[in-house]
Amino acid sequence: MHVSIVTLLGAAALVTCQGTNGTVVTGKLGDARPVTNNPVVGEVWVANFAGTVKGLVTAKAAAIGVNYTIDVTGLPAGKGPFKYHVHLDPVPSDGNCTGTGGHLDPYQREDLPACNGSTPAKCEVGDLSGKYGTLAGPSANKTFNDPYSALNRIDLGWIGNRAIVFHDASSARIACANLTKAA
Ligand SMILES: *[C@@H]1O[C@H](CO)[C@@H](O)[C@H](O)[C@H]1NC(C)=O
Ligand SMILES: *[C@@H]1O[C@H](CO)[C@@H](O)[C@H](O)[C@H]1NC(C)=O
Ligand SMILES: *[C@@H]1O[C@H](CO)[C@@H](O)[C@H](O)[C@H]1NC(C)=O
Ligand SMILES: *[C@@H]1O[C@H](CO)[C@@H](O)[C@H](O)[C@H]1NC(C)=O
Ligand SMILES: *[C@@H]1O[C@H](CO)[C@@H](O)[C@H](O)[C@H]1NC(C)=O
Ligand SMILES: [Cu+2]
């Protein structure tokens, strides 16, 4: 009995470690771990989009991870589906989205193979659209909980003072904004 359960768990672990092409997608530091140490549950951080893409991405500290709301208009017609991520670095003062660097990826999983949303712990922490779905546009109003994002700065999944970036279907960075603590 005990042995067969262990065998089953082992087999399940093997299956979930691999993408459909057989590539191991677990990060070098393992799978992302749920965040249960946010210091202030309910604390709100906001990325304010005021260009063609307009609106707010809100990140609220939850008991486990972060509750995000994507509430934007102006995603350009015909250019979707749109991706959205937490990128490592804040937006340079000139607004150049290239300056935000790559995705927040503290477990060192890297971009490829593509994230499969059915196993979100095996995705880059910052790959929010990979985990929770792309946006069709031209507007979006989407709320989801990401267990692996942190609003505790000592956690690997810390998202504060980084950037939220939207990409079009060609992966071009069409809009970006700093994620800062709401006043
Ligand atoms: C976060 O979202 C979950 C549902 O996904 C909800 O139960 C929880 O109350 C929310 N937490 C906060 C702080 O809003
Ligand atoms: C983003 O925040 C950084 C500081 O973290 C600041 O230097 C930069 O000017 C801000 N970018 C924009 C576009 O406001
Ligand atoms: C944006 O920043 C990147 C480097 O981060 C640079 O290569 C590129 O030339 C910049 N683009 C503009 C329009 O300034
Ligand atoms: C994602 O994982 C699920 C469950 O393992 C699998 O059925 C599905 O085919 C995968 N999707 C892709 C695009 O690989
Ligand atoms: C999203 O929903 C909120 C609350 O219902 C509403 O105030 C907001 O205008 C909606 N945004 C969009 C882009 O539809
Ligand atoms: Cu991105």
Side-chain angles (χ1 to χ4, degrees):
M1 176 70 169
H2 183 69
V3 170
S4 69
I5 287 170
V6 168
T7 306
L8 278 172
L9 288 174
L14 268 179
V15 169
T16 55
C17 286
Q18 312 209 328
T20 45
N21 60 1
T23 310
V24 174
V25 295
T26 298
K28 291 190 185 73
L29 302 185
D31 287 349
R33 289 182 284 281
V35 172
T36 55
N37 61 355
N38 287 326
V40 184
V41 169
E43 182 179 278
V44 174
W45 290 62
V46 175
N48 189 356
F49 289 82
T52 308
V53 177
K54 207 177 182 59
L56 300 177
V57 174
T58 305
K60 191 198 271 191
I64 300 176
V66 167
N67 288 2
Y68 288 91
T69 300
I70 314 280
D71 181 1
V72 296
T73 59
L75 295 165
K79 297 272 188 153
F82 301 94
K83 293 177 270 193
Y84 48 97
H85 308 130
V86 181
H87 281 232
L88 274 177
D89 299 321
V91 180
S93 53
D94 67 1
N96 182 346
C97 296
T98 305
T100 62
H103 300 163
L104 173 61
D105 181 25
Y107 297 92
Q108 300 175 32
R109 179 236 193 252
E110 301 184 351
D111 289 1
L112 296 174
C115 158
N116 184 328
S118 69
T119 51
K122 296 180 178 300
C123 298
E124 295 172 305
V125 171
D127 186 3
L128 299 178
S129 52
K131 291 185 274 190
Y132 306 108
T134 55
L135 308 170
S139 66
N141 218 343
K142 185 180 176 74
T143 298
F144 55 89
N145 170 268
D146 180 48
Y148 314 105
S149 293
L151 282 169
N152 184 333
R153 62 181 68 235
I154 67 167
D155 195 279
L156 281 177
W158 163 246
I159 61 171
N161 301 320
R162 302 192 190 277
I164 303 290
V165 179
F166 287 95
H167 303 255
D168 68 14
S170 77
S171 288
R173 301 179 180 206
I174 58 167
C176 53
N178 281 341
L179 186 64
T180 55
K181 193 167 182 287

mmCIF file of all heavy atoms in Angstrom, residues 75-83 135-136 167-172 174:
data_model
loop_
_atom_site.group_PDB
_atom_site.id
_atom_site.type_symbol
_atom_site.label_atom_id
_atom_site.label_comp_id
_atom_site.label_asym_id
_atom_site.label_seq_id
_atom_site.Cartn_x
_atom_site.Cartn_y
_atom_site.Cartn_z
ATOM 1 N N LEU A 75 -6.218 48.474 -25.874
ATOM 2 C CA LEU A 75 -5.346 47.464 -26.488
ATOM 3 C C LEU A 75 -5.635 47.506 -27.993
ATOM 4 O O LEU A 75 -6.796 47.409 -28.401
ATOM 5 C CB LEU A 75 -5.642 46.082 -25.890
ATOM 6 C CG LEU A 75 -5.303 45.967 -24.394
ATOM 7 C CD1 LEU A 75 -5.958 44.730 -23.775
ATOM 8 C CD2 LEU A 75 -3.796 45.932 -24.168
ATOM 9 N N PRO A 76 -4.614 47.694 -28.833
ATOM 10 C CA PRO A 76 -4.871 48.028 -30.240
ATOM 11 C C PRO A 76 -5.583 46.908 -31.019
ATOM 12 O O PRO A 76 -5.172 45.751 -30.962
ATOM 13 C CB PRO A 76 -3.479 48.324 -30.806
ATOM 14 C CG PRO A 76 -2.499 47.839 -29.806
ATOM 15 C CD PRO A 76 -3.177 47.762 -28.481
ATOM 16 N N ALA A 77 -6.622 47.310 -31.737
ATOM 17 C CA ALA A 77 -7.437 46.364 -32.502
ATOM 18 C C ALA A 77 -6.576 45.616 -33.505
ATOM 19 O O ALA A 77 -5.704 46.205 -34.153
ATOM 20 C CB ALA A 77 -8.550 47.114 -33.226
ATOM 21 N N GLY A 78 -6.808 44.313 -33.603
ATOM 22 C CA GLY A 78 -6.117 43.499 -34.593
ATOM 23 C C GLY A 78 -4.720 43.072 -34.198
ATOM 24 O O GLY A 78 -4.056 42.356 -34.947
ATOM 25 N N LYS A 79 -4.240 43.505 -33.019
ATOM 26 C CA LYS A 79 -2.855 43.191 -32.635
ATOM 27 C C LYS A 79 -2.753 42.087 -31.578
ATOM 28 O O LYS A 79 -1.659 41.702 -31.182
ATOM 29 C CB LYS A 79 -2.167 44.445 -32.084
ATOM 30 C CG LYS A 79 -2.038 45.568 -33.082
ATOM 31 C CD LYS A 79 -0.760 45.425 -33.890
ATOM 32 C CE LYS A 79 -0.554 46.663 -34.746
ATOM 33 N NZ LYS A 79 0.848 46.896 -35.031
ATOM 34 N N GLY A 80 -3.903 41.606 -31.098
ATOM 35 C CA GLY A 80 -3.890 40.612 -30.031
ATOM 36 C C GLY A 80 -3.693 39.207 -30.570
ATOM 37 O O GLY A 80 -3.553 39.035 -31.781
ATOM 38 N N PRO A 81 -3.718 38.198 -29.700
ATOM 39 C CA PRO A 81 -3.909 38.306 -28.255
ATOM 40 C C PRO A 81 -2.713 38.968 -27.552
ATOM 41 O O PRO A 81 -1.591 38.871 -28.016
ATOM 42 C CB PRO A 81 -4.074 36.844 -27.818
ATOM 43 C CG PRO A 81 -3.338 36.060 -28.854
ATOM 44 C CD PRO A 81 -3.517 36.813 -30.140
ATOM 45 N N PHE A 82 -3.036 39.624 -26.422
ATOM 46 C CA PHE A 82 -2.041 40.395 -25.683
ATOM 47 C C PHE A 82 -1.539 39.611 -24.477
ATOM 48 O O PHE A 82 -2.315 38.987 -23.765
ATOM 49 C CB PHE A 82 -2.649 41.724 -25.230
ATOM 50 C CG PHE A 82 -3.121 42.543 -26.401
ATOM 51 C CD1 PHE A 82 -4.437 42.481 -26.822
ATOM 52 C CD2 PHE A 82 -2.235 43.343 -27.107
ATOM 53 C CE1 PHE A 82 -4.876 43.198 -27.927
ATOM 54 C CE2 PHE A 82 -2.655 44.072 -28.210
ATOM 55 C CZ PHE A 82 -3.984 43.999 -28.624
ATOM 56 N N LYS A 83 -0.225 39.713 -24.267
ATOM 57 C CA LYS A 83 0.395 39.109 -23.092
ATOM 58 C C LYS A 83 0.693 40.204 -22.070
ATOM 59 O O LYS A 83 0.814 41.375 -22.434
ATOM 60 C CB LYS A 83 1.697 38.407 -23.501
ATOM 61 C CG LYS A 83 1.452 37.185 -24.388
ATOM 62 C CD LYS A 83 2.741 36.539 -24.856
ATOM 63 C CE LYS A 83 3.208 37.125 -26.154
ATOM 64 N NZ LYS A 83 4.262 36.356 -26.828
ATOM 65 N N LEU A 135 -5.113 38.304 -23.260
ATOM 66 C CA LEU A 135 -6.267 39.198 -23.384
ATOM 67 C C LEU A 135 -6.600 39.381 -24.866
ATOM 68 O O LEU A 135 -5.705 39.591 -25.679
ATOM 69 C CB LEU A 135 -5.937 40.559 -22.771
ATOM 70 C CG LEU A 135 -5.383 40.536 -21.341
ATOM 71 C CD1 LEU A 135 -4.869 41.917 -20.954
ATOM 72 C CD2 LEU A 135 -6.457 40.053 -20.366
ATOM 73 N N ALA A 136 -7.891 39.350 -25.194
ATOM 74 C CA ALA A 136 -8.298 39.547 -26.583
ATOM 75 C C ALA A 136 -8.328 41.035 -26.940
ATOM 76 O O ALA A 136 -8.124 41.404 -28.096
ATOM 77 C CB ALA A 136 -9.674 38.932 -26.814
ATOM 78 N N HIS A 167 2.330 43.098 -24.087
ATOM 79 C CA HIS A 167 2.908 42.782 -25.398
ATOM 80 C C HIS A 167 1.780 42.473 -26.375
ATOM 81 O O HIS A 167 0.770 41.868 -25.987
ATOM 82 C CB HIS A 167 3.768 41.513 -25.335
ATOM 83 C CG HIS A 167 4.884 41.531 -24.362
ATOM 84 N ND1 HIS A 167 6.194 41.691 -24.743
ATOM 85 C CD2 HIS A 167 4.904 41.380 -23.017
ATOM 86 C CE1 HIS A 167 6.972 41.632 -23.673
ATOM 87 N NE2 HIS A 167 6.218 41.449 -22.614
ATOM 88 N N ASP A 168 2.008 42.804 -27.657
ATOM 89 C CA ASP A 168 1.048 42.371 -28.678
ATOM 90 C C ASP A 168 1.422 40.968 -29.164
ATOM 91 O O ASP A 168 2.357 40.341 -28.639
ATOM 92 C CB ASP A 168 0.952 43.401 -29.813
ATOM 93 C CG ASP A 168 2.208 43.500 -30.657
ATOM 94 O OD1 ASP A 168 3.086 42.608 -30.579
ATOM 95 O OD2 ASP A 168 2.313 44.491 -31.411
ATOM 96 N N ALA A 169 0.692 40.484 -30.186
ATOM 97 C CA ALA A 169 0.910 39.108 -30.635
ATOM 98 C C ALA A 169 2.309 38.890 -31.196
ATOM 99 O O ALA A 169 2.811 37.765 -31.203
ATOM 100 C CB ALA A 169 -0.147 38.740 -31.679
ATOM 101 N N SER A 170 2.968 39.973 -31.640
ATOM 102 C CA SER A 170 4.332 39.835 -32.164
ATOM 103 C C SER A 170 5.365 39.888 -31.036
ATOM 104 O O SER A 170 6.563 39.853 -31.298
ATOM 105 C CB SER A 170 4.629 40.960 -33.159
ATOM 106 O OG SER A 170 4.896 42.172 -32.463
ATOM 107 N N SER A 171 4.876 40.022 -29.784
ATOM 108 C CA SER A 171 5.704 40.163 -28.583
ATOM 109 C C SER A 171 6.284 41.563 -28.405
ATOM 110 O O SER A 171 7.014 41.812 -27.446
ATOM 111 C CB SER A 171 6.836 39.120 -28.509
ATOM 112 O OG SER A 171 6.284 37.864 -28.234
ATOM 113 N N ALA A 172 5.959 42.495 -29.299
ATOM 114 C CA ALA A 172 6.398 43.882 -29.109
ATOM 115 C C ALA A 172 5.839 44.414 -27.787
ATOM 116 O O ALA A 172 4.708 44.098 -27.406
ATOM 117 C CB ALA A 172 5.915 44.743 -30.267
ATOM 118 N N ILE A 174 4.104 46.949 -25.985
ATOM 119 C CA ILE A 174 3.256 48.066 -26.414
ATOM 120 C C ILE A 174 2.953 49.042 -25.281
ATOM 121 O O ILE A 174 2.519 50.162 -25.545
ATOM 122 C CB ILE A 174 1.944 47.575 -27.054
ATOM 123 C CG1 ILE A 174 1.159 46.690 -26.083
ATOM 124 C CG2 ILE A 174 2.230 46.834 -28.357
ATOM 125 C CD1 ILE A 174 -0.279 46.425 -26.536
#
